[in-house]
Amino acid sequence: MAYNFDKLYINGHWCDSTSGQFIEVENPATLKHFAKVPEGNEKDIDLAVRAAHAAFESWSQTELSERIRLMKKMLEIFESYKDQIIDLEVKELGAPVSYSVQSHCVYQFTRTHSYIECAAELPLEQSLAQSTVYREPIGVIACITPWNYPLGQVVQKVVPAILMGNTVVLKPSQHTPLTAYLLIDAFDRAGFPAGVINLVTGRGSAVGDALASHPLVDMVSFTGSTKVGAKLSQRALESIKRVSLELGGKSPFIWLPGADYEKAVGKLFDSIFLNSGQTCTALSRLLVPEEDLEKIKALLLKHVPDYVVGDPTDPKTKIGPVSSKAQFEKISSYIKLGLEEGANLLTGEIPTSCANGYYIKPTIFTEVKNSMRIAREEIFGPVLCVITYKTVEEAIAIANDTPYGLNAAVFGEKQKAIEVAKRIKAGNVYVNDGPRDVTAPFGGYKQSGIGREGGYAGLLEFTQPKAIFDRSTF
Ligand code: NAD
């Protein structure tokens, strides 16, 4: 395969970083450094942005049908990299192979297919009383992505941005940059014109900042923490760039009185424990009727052993290590904090050593008050907070009492659950076993973000409306 982890991809070529420096990529299960990527710098960013800017002129004028044709070709090549993608996510993220196949790989193909289909159907022209409104591309898009779904977050931005006629400079997370190389390789082989997509790896504070403030960048599409997103937006707004933010969450899961709790456990644990809890949409606050707490505790304890922690290459493993030492330390300190705040540790422990990998057992706190820091802050690990409520009104109030609003779920009688779902301030709310919809808009209320990804909304995000008043008399 033609990809090479020690290069950047700028203006249609694999090239060296002008820094001559590299960042090591660690396997969180073995603690071994197994790859390295260039530590890009401001100069590399400038070259990449200028290439994207130059390519925009003709790419934005290319027929949508031609953009779709090239994207289909890219996807065909990309799908042939399935085994390498799975292997790299096991190594760079520590994601168990059982989880990597679907969530980190096949679902990303599904997403790309979906964007291609939606782009073909999307109305990009609208006739009004005295005008025609056209959706036009925005320009150079800086795509800055996190480490927790290394490929997913990249696909969510790069594919729709390019389909809509924009050009891209991608900066993946320095912790998990490798699968992005496979995607770029597929773009390269599909024959996209030089400059349409560019890859610069590097540290957030240097490369990310340079991208957000570069005068030729027209939009910053960022996924990551609320703290960095806020800072980055300030830089971007100094030159009035468009900003799209996909940020953190502290998502509630309401179990309504009388719900079949047994049926809800799988959804809860998959959400908070898989990917080692490092999922922005993780249902990290479980809201249960006070009178059923003891029954629910027993139910949770019964199912925890199903979530086997261990070597991510073992097909039986459901929970691998967390992604880095920093993550290990952060999550450990939150578990310690939970005890200090007076919550009850139903299961789990304060991890003591990470000498054999950054492993953290599934952790459940009960007797949690929504005012505690463990219930308000994003822990981003396999840590569940169980909070009791007396009435459904109180459950809704607790669910909404958070700075975030990314995701939520309600389990119970369907009509009642839908009523409750409508009152939750979050961009996505799941009802019972309702499946995910790849074409639905994804994004947050409140401090969980600005803008939407996925399907039609995700494509429109990378366009801007232009009205031409064309009903002239001659
Ligand atoms: P992060 O904010 O630390 O980093 C995200 C990206 O920004 C990385 O590429 C990083 O290198 C870069 N960056 C860091 N500091 C920067 C700076 N000062 N200037 C410019 N760029 C900078 O987030 P993370 O730890 O990689 O990811 C975890 C966070 O991402 C969690 O909060 C999670 O909820 C969030 N997330 C949100 C979504 C969503 O769709 N809403 C999806 C996945 C992850």
Side-chain angles (χ1 to χ4, degrees), residues 131-191:
S131 62
T132 308
V133 179
Y134 300 86
R135 303 292 315 197
E136 297 203 329
I138 291 165
V140 176
I141 317 287
C143 298
I144 303 176
T145 58
W147 49 260
N148 64 328
Y149 286 84
L151 192 54
Q153 305 307 332
V154 169
V155 165
Q156 280 285 65
K157 299 180 185 309
V158 165
V159 171
I162 290 179
L163 276 171
M164 290 294 96
N166 303 280
T167 58
V168 162
V169 179
L170 168 66
K171 191 213 94 63
S173 169
Q174 63 272 28
H175 303 295
T176 55
L178 304 182
T179 43
Y181 276 79
L182 301 189
L183 183 71
I184 300 295
D185 185 69
F187 269 99
D188 181 64
R189 286 170 168 232

Side-chain angles (χ1 to χ4, degrees), residues 198-372:
N198 304 273
L199 169 75
V200 180
T201 47
R203 296 189 197 281
S205 48
V207 182
D209 226 40
L211 262 176
S213 49
H214 197 292
L216 294 179
V217 167
D218 299 287
M219 173 175 173
V220 177
S221 176
F222 172 85
T223 300
S225 61
T226 298
K227 192 171 154 204
V228 172
K231 207 172 137 207
L232 199 78
S233 308
Q234 284 169 3
R235 293 300 304 266
L237 282 171
E238 281 166 19
S239 48
I240 321 295
K241 299 184 195 317
R242 279 169 181 263
V243 177
S244 169
L245 303 171
E246 296 289 344
L247 308 174
K250 193 76 189 179
S251 302
F253 192 173
I254 301 179
W255 288 4
L256 294 174
D260 186 345
Y261 303 136
E262 180 92 41
K263 275 191 182 159
V265 181
K267 185 180 180 73
L268 170 72
F269 281 1
D270 281 0
S271 174
I272 185 65
F273 293 152
L274 298 186
N275 217 39
S276 300
Q278 303 166 130
T279 301
C280 54
T281 53
L283 298 164
S284 50
R285 290 185 297 145
L286 175 64
L287 277 49
V288 301
E290 192 177 66
E291 65 273 17
D292 289 338
L293 179 64
E294 291 310 315
K295 184 161 84 181
I296 288 169
K297 276 185 184 174
L299 189 62
L300 298 177
L301 282 175
K302 183 175 114 187
H303 287 280
V304 168
D306 302 344
Y307 287 74
V308 178
V309 183
D311 177 358
T313 61
D314 183 339
K316 288 197 288 299
T317 295
K318 279 197 139 187
I319 306 180
V322 299
S323 76
S324 64
K325 189 161 190 219
Q327 271 291 100
F328 179 85
E329 286 171 352
K330 179 182 157 200
I331 298 163
S332 305
S333 73
Y334 269 112
I335 298 174
K336 199 159 158 261
L337 176 69
L339 291 172
E340 285 163 12
E341 287 185 303
N344 170 53
L345 190 61
L346 183 69
T347 185
E349 62 188 17
I350 301 171
T352 44
S353 164
C354 59
N356 296 314
Y358 305 125
Y359 291 98
I360 296 193
K361 289 185 181 160
T363 303
I364 302 177
F365 280 112
T366 57
E367 276 87 79
V368 177
K369 301 261 176 300
N370 201 50
S371 55
M372 290 177 182

Side-chain angles (χ1 to χ4, degrees), residues 2-22 37-40 43-45 47-48 51 181 184 188 197-201:
Y3 67 81
N4 193 341
F5 296 136
D6 57 20
K7 302 279 185 206
L8 306 175
Y9 186 76
I10 297 177
N11 206 20
H13 300 289
W14 293 104
C15 54
D16 293 322
S17 165
T18 55
S19 76
Q21 306 286 312
F22 292 89
V37 296
E39 182 168 358
K43 216 166 160 188
D44 299 321
I45 287 292
L47 288 171
Y181 276 79
I184 300 295
D188 181 64
I197 182 149
N198 304 273
L199 169 75
V200 180
T201 47

